[in-house]
Amino acid sequence: MTTSIPLISQIRHRLATGPKSQPENSISLRIAVQLLVIVGIIATDVAIEEPLNLWAIPVSIVGATWSGCRRHHRNVPIKFCIAIGMLIALGAFFARLVGELNDTRVALAILLIHLQVLHSFDLPRRQDLGYSMVIGLILMGVAATLSQTLTFGPLVLVFLAIALPTLVLDYRSRLGLSQFRWRHKSGQPTQPPGSSGLNLKFLALSFIAIVALGLLIFALLPRLPGYQLRSFPVSAPLEMPEGQFDTSRVFNPGYVDGGKDGQSDTGSARGRSPRSGRGELSSTFYSGFDTQINQNLRGQMDPQIVMRVRSQARGFWRVVAFDEYTGQGWGISRNDKTYTLRRPWWTYQFRLLPPLTQAKTQEVVQSYTIVSQLPNLLPAMPWATEVYYPTEELAIDPEGTLRSPLELREGMTYTVISEVPYRDRAALSQAKTTYPKRIRDFYLQVPGDIQAKVRQKTEEILANPNRVAQNDKSLDSPYEKALFLAQYLKQNPLYKLQEAPPFLQDDEDLVEAFLFGYKESPPGNLVTGGYPDHFATVLTIMLRSIGIPARLVAGFEPGEFNPFTGLYIVRNTDAHAMAEVYFPEYGWFAFNPIPGMDLIPPSVEENQTFSALQAFWKWIAGWLPSPVTGALQTIFGAIIGVLVGSLRWFFNLFSQGWLGILLGLVSATAIAFLAWLGWEGWKTWRYRRWLTKLPIEEGLYQQMLQLLATKGYPKLAVQTPTEYSKAVGSHQSIDEAEVIDEISQTYVRWRYGGQPSNLAQLRQLVHNLKKAQLKSFKSRFKRPLRFKDSA
């Protein structure tokens, strides 16, 4: 005990006599840093779309104000309280982390906010303010990874607008210039004492330049498909009582029996659409996402965003497939043959076995965030191999449809990894035509009363391909037949998209009515065609009638790509059906016969490397007249063609032997030399243009500094003009030193004393200095060369 007391006394003595840290006295810097933190907190709440952390703003303001007033005190009790508070925040972080192991971004952001609130009560030094600046920047980075809307964009601009003067104030504080007063050439202060002296014009130009450069880099940055991390976004776990997962049931609130006792599982009212017979379409929910489709419904959906998708490739978000045609819709004949999947308790990962295929495949990662309620069917690109989902169970039916125990609720997030097959037309055209029994039994069914009629119509179309367009491929393979029939339905003016096709009578078949006319057509006006999904149904049955296995598949178009967020915005009106055709050893491939849409759905064949630039150009082109758009496309196409051709020619040189390699190296050297000349010319032009904007006295002084800098004597930022002239004069001749001193003194009297200068004399002094420098340079090359005596 006695030995410990002197030790404690010694430690206390060293702490008391040690150098004290200097507090930061710049109020402007403290306010700017606090604004950065506030913007970071708001951005985090905007990104997660929940006001979880707004309480931190007033608390941190109180803490920053208190610490600013107490910056000259040691505040030891407060430091102990802060340490205890940080330990509590760490414990809360670990408690939250248990439920969010797969996506820890929100938990980490909340921890940072808690730490910043505690840290705001102890900000005496500039270094402490620097920590707060970094925390604000980290919060913006976390918010950027979480944000899925453009609401985050304005906050980025606000953060940048605050960060620029904050960095200037921080740098001035480091140089001890907090109370520096700028002066006009007349010598009078331009700002009151104690002002920050910020150059608003410079800050504004810097802001514009940074934003423009950032947008340019963002547009040109390639989007390469590749995930380096395997931790994917997933919602918090959703609990469901064990044994209550009815894998054969789909909750579509648009249908009359969309929920139990007139309510869906989320409490929303059930729909008005009957599952059979004539009726009205739901204005919100697509009727095709169920275990059966009633295609005798009429009406329109009101556009509404239903989900946002982040995907490595643009694709068709497949939801459900049907194998049984009912005459006025579709059903799933093996709805009770689903297979239940369970995941381990320690992970969100479900593993699936994709169909075997000889086609080349590419892994595509997709993350789905539900914006508006959807049925309990998971959209995904075919074919899913891994699903990261918050429930403990999933189900999959024989058609490859993924089913959830619960409806897809607003705010839910899940991730799917799919092995998407490439669509090789040549290989699929040569696929076998012998189908296994499991395919023949379920995907060739056609109602007997229309089979002969539809088959005859289909064979007539295939026998006369020139009725629609000249076909450059022989129709001797199922693939070419499917492709041509889809084109036929898309392009034939007889079959149009109808806004309100007639209802089907109880004994009327949809395919027959589509092809040959509705029984309830107005007198003298036979109506054919129908809704978009009717085109898919007709193509499917036509293919089946000639012995090609096909089924109906429903899902979402990719939606509208937002180049700023990197997300696809998907609406309920993007949902539609297509025909999927089976090719032995290759699997199922979709064909879209709907007019106005792509015949082949988007997939991994499309290059998405410069998707942001493509989307930006489409947005610009939408505002321009067609002639202007065509002219710009021609110009940019020519420029890109020349660049690509030049690069191809240059790289081809190195494959043409030694002569080609030599020519390539010479070309590279010449290009580098021309680039250097251009760069030097641009710098000279920029320097001269800058001089013309300066006052004459300032310009002449800067010319002197440039002359001396090229000679190896640059002026340091901390040197005054007088200090610089004395330092440089000691290394010059007497005449040059006098000229330098005279120019410097004239500049100082004008700049800080407001005294008028003799411009003619000043110009002559600079001219004399240039002559002296040139004379000194030439004298180096006029010295006689001396050789040693050969003897």
Side-chain angles (χ1 to χ4, degrees):
M1 188 71 178
T2 55
T3 58
S4 62
I5 294 177
L7 179 60
I8 295 176
S9 300
Q10 187 176 6
I11 293 175
R12 292 183 61 183
H13 176 73
R14 289 186 177 182
L15 292 175
T17 58
K20 295 183 178 179
S21 58
Q22 295 296 322
E24 177 56 54
N25 295 315
S26 174
I27 298 177
S28 300
L29 177 59
R30 289 181 173 274
I31 294 175
V33 171
Q34 184 60 35
L35 290 176
L36 285 180
V37 173
I38 290 174
V39 173
I41 294 173
I42 295 175
T44 304
D45 278 2
V46 168
I48 63 179
E49 300 180 354
E50 291 184 41
L52 296 178
N53 306 293
L54 292 181
W55 62 270
I57 295 176
V59 177
S60 63
I61 292 175
V62 171
T65 304
W66 190 88
S67 64
C69 296
R70 298 278 300 177
R71 63 185 180 275
H72 296 286
H73 299 78
R74 298 181 63 184
N75 303 317
V76 175
I78 292 297
K79 288 181 170 63
F80 275 107
C81 293
I82 291 174
I84 295 172
M86 287 184 174
L87 291 176
I88 296 174
L90 185 63
F93 165 72
F94 284 119
R96 187 183 183 98
L97 197 63
V98 173
E100 301 178 6
L101 288 175
N102 212 65
D103 189 4
T104 60
R105 293 174 295 176
V106 175
L108 287 171
I110 292 176
L111 174 64
L112 277 177
I113 292 173
H114 291 168
L115 296 181
Q116 170 57 31
V117 170
L118 295 170
H119 179 60
S120 64
F121 285 87
D122 186 31
L123 301 172
R125 302 169 300 169
R126 183 176 60 252
Q127 184 179 7
D128 300 313
L129 294 173
Y131 294 150
S132 296
M133 293 167 59
V134 172
I135 289 177
L137 181 62
I138 293 175
L139 289 176
M140 291 297 295
V142 173
T145 64
L146 292 169
S147 177
Q148 296 187 351
T149 66
L150 283 178
T151 311
F152 177 71
L155 292 172
V156 175
L157 299 179
V158 172
F159 188 86
L160 176 61
I162 299 173
L164 289 177
T166 303
L167 293 175
V168 173
L169 293 172
D170 180 74
Y171 182 70
R172 290 169 58 79
S173 177
R174 293 173 187 272
L175 297 178
L177 301 176
S178 300
Q179 304 301 323
F180 184 79
R181 295 164 61 187
W182 294 92
R183 291 179 179 271
H184 192 262
K185 62 182 180 180
S186 62
Q188 299 299 322
T190 59
Q191 296 175 355
S195 173
S196 59
L198 294 174
N199 189 334
L200 297 181
K201 181 180 179 181
F202 172 76
L203 292 175
L205 293 177
S206 300
F207 178 83
I208 295 173
I210 292 172
V211 172
L213 183 61
L215 290 175
L216 179 64
I217 294 174
F218 179 83
L220 298 178
L221 194 68
R223 270 69 174 170
L224 301 177
Y227 270 66
Q228 303 302 318
L229 300 177
R230 307 300 287 188
S231 180
F232 303 112
V234 182
S235 299
L238 298 176
E239 300 295 338
M240 183 173 181
E242 188 173 354
Q244 293 191 11
F245 183 14
D246 184 358
T247 60
S248 64
R249 185 165 176 238
V250 173
F251 319 115
N252 188 331
Y255 281 108
V256 171
D257 55 346
K260 299 176 181 179
D261 301 326
Q263 296 287 323
S264 70
D265 280 20
T266 58
S268 60
R270 64 185 183 181
R272 296 179 295 175
S273 302
R275 291 185 176 273
S276 61
R278 61 180 64 193
E280 182 182 354
L281 278 171
S282 169
S283 61
T284 304
F285 299 96
Y286 174 62
S287 62
F289 298 154
D290 203 274
T291 56
Q292 62 187 63
I293 306 178
N294 180 7
Q295 293 189 316
N296 200 16
L297 303 175
R298 301 295 181 260
Q300 300 291 335
M301 286 193 297
D302 298 327
Q304 176 181 321
I305 296 177
V306 293
M307 64 181 182
R308 304 187 190 101
V309 184
R310 186 183 303 278
S311 175
Q312 292 175 304
R314 182 170 174 263
F316 179 73
W317 321 124
R318 186 183 188 273
V319 177
V320 63
F322 304 89
D323 65 330
E324 184 178 20
Y325 177 59
T326 63
Q328 295 186 0
W330 289 85
I332 301 175
S333 63
R334 295 171 288 175
N335 188 50
D336 57 342
K337 304 295 184 182
T338 57
Y339 177 75
T340 303
L341 304 170
R342 292 189 61 87
R343 62 172 174 84
W345 64 268
W346 64 84
T347 179
Y348 292 97
Q349 182 188 52
F350 293 86
R351 288 190 175 274
L352 295 84
L353 294 177
L356 298 178
T357 178
Q358 290 188 2
K360 178 185 175 183
T361 62
Q362 177 178 313
E363 181 183 271
V364 177
V365 180
Q366 318 120 63
S367 293
Y368 299 83
T369 298
I370 308 303
V371 178
S372 180
Q373 177 188 346
L374 288 174
N376 60 318
L377 302 174
L378 274 62
M381 290 184 72
W383 300 101
T385 59
E386 298 176 41
V387 179
Y388 294 80
Y389 197 74
T391 62
E392 295 183 356
E393 293 180 319
L394 284 179
I396 184 169
D397 67 19
E399 311 303 330
T401 302
L402 294 170
R403 304 186 183 188
S404 166
L406 303 171
E407 296 172 346
L408 304 188
R409 302 172 179 178
E410 180 181 349
M412 178 186 290
T413 299
Y414 68 94
T415 299
V416 179
I417 302 178
S418 302
E419 287 293 337
V420 182
Y422 280 89
R423 195 183 191 108
D424 187 341
R425 182 174 181 176
L428 294 176
S429 297
Q430 298 174 4
K432 299 177 181 179
T433 57
T434 303
Y435 303 104
K437 186 176 184 299
R438 60 181 177 84
I439 297 297
R440 298 195 309 269
D441 289 347
F442 297 99
Y443 305 110
L444 292 175
Q445 169 256 343
V446 179
D449 54 346
I450 67 167
Q451 184 171 13
K453 196 174 182 179
V454 174
R455 179 184 180 90
Q456 181 182 357
K457 178 67 174 179
T458 305
E459 290 176 344
E460 289 177 1
I461 296 171
L462 295 174
N464 298 279
N466 292 328
R467 289 171 59 182
V468 178
Q470 184 66 35
N471 189 40
D472 59 351
K473 294 277 186 178
S474 59
L475 303 181
D476 56 356
S477 69
Y479 186 89
E480 296 301 330
K481 292 178 181 178
L483 198 64
F484 182 79
L485 289 173
Q487 289 176 328
Y488 175 86
L489 293 175
K490 286 171 66 73
Q491 300 174 5
N492 195 320
L494 181 62
Y495 307 117
K496 299 179 180 179
L497 285 172
Q498 303 289 345
E499 292 185 2
F503 281 106
L504 298 171
Q505 295 183 1
D506 293 342
D507 60 345
E508 190 174 9
D509 186 272
L510 170 63
V511 175
E512 185 179 18
F514 183 99
L515 293 174
F516 306 107
Y518 291 83
K519 292 181 179 180
E520 294 188 4
S521 299
N525 183 20
L526 188 64
V527 177
T528 56
Y531 282 154
D533 287 0
H534 297 171
F535 282 80
T537 293
V538 171
L539 176 61
T540 305
I541 297 303
M542 291 177 76
L543 291 170
R544 287 186 173 190
S545 70
I546 57 174
I548 299 176
R551 65 186 179 190
L552 194 81
V553 61
F556 291 100
E557 281 290 294
E560 179 184 357
F561 180 71
N562 187 327
F564 296 100
T565 62
L567 298 171
Y568 293 93
I569 310 302
V570 184
R571 294 173 171 81
N572 55 352
T573 50
D574 291 323
H576 67 87
M578 294 189 297
E580 269 189 347
V581 181
Y582 180 78
F583 300 94
E585 300 180 349
Y586 290 94
W588 296 91
F589 288 86
F591 296 83
N592 188 355
I594 301 174
M597 293 187 177
D598 294 334
L599 178 64
I600 304 299
S603 188
V604 290
E605 289 86 0
E606 297 186 11
N607 190 341
Q608 301 290 314
T609 304
F610 294 98
S611 56
L613 185 59
Q614 294 169 357
F616 182 72
W617 166 246
K618 289 180 180 178
W619 180 76
I620 293 293
W623 292 88
L624 298 175
S626 298
V628 176
T629 302
L632 290 176
Q633 287 179 337
T634 302
I635 295 172
F636 289 137
I639 294 173
I640 294 174
V642 170
L643 292 175
V644 172
S646 301
L647 290 174
R648 185 181 294 113
W649 170 82
F650 176 74
F651 288 111
N652 286 340
L653 289 175
F654 293 91
S655 61
Q656 298 177 8
W658 290 106
L659 183 61
I661 294 175
L662 180 61
L663 182 59
L665 294 176
V666 171
S667 301
T669 304
I671 293 172
F673 177 69
L674 292 175
W676 176 79
L677 285 179
W679 174 253
E680 291 297 321
W682 180 80
K683 288 199 302 182
T684 301
W685 170 82
R686 184 169 172 268
Y687 173 70
R688 291 177 177 175
R689 184 170 177 270
W690 174 66
L691 287 179
T692 59
K693 295 183 178 182
L694 298 175
I696 299 176
E697 295 86 351
E698 179 77 23
L700 292 172
Y701 180 70
Q702 292 295 334
Q703 290 183 48
M704 182 197 76
L705 295 181
Q706 179 67 17
L707 285 172
L708 296 174
T710 57
K711 195 176 179 181
Y713 303 104
K715 180 180 178 297
L716 301 179
V718 296
Q719 288 179 313
T720 64
T722 304
E723 292 173 342
Y724 176 69
S725 64
K726 291 181 179 180
V728 174
S730 61
H731 300 280
Q732 310 295 325
S733 64
I734 296 177
D735 294 338
E736 291 177 350
E738 290 179 353
V739 171
I740 294 171
D741 183 66
E742 181 63 26
I743 294 174
S744 299
Q745 293 301 325
T746 302
Y747 172 75
V748 169
R749 287 193 295 270
W750 164 81
R751 180 70 176 83
Y752 300 102
Q755 299 180 13
S757 58
N758 189 336
L759 295 178
Q761 180 184 6
L762 193 59
R763 285 194 181 97
Q764 186 61 40
L765 290 173
V766 174
H767 179 69
N768 293 340
L769 183 62
K770 290 181 179 179
K771 289 177 60 177
Q773 295 288 333
L774 182 62
K775 182 178 179 181
S776 175
F777 177 76
K778 289 182 178 180
S779 66
R780 298 179 184 178
F781 297 94
K782 290 185 178 181
R783 295 174 184 173
L785 299 177
R786 298 180 179 179
F787 300 93
K788 292 183 179 180
D789 191 350
S790 59

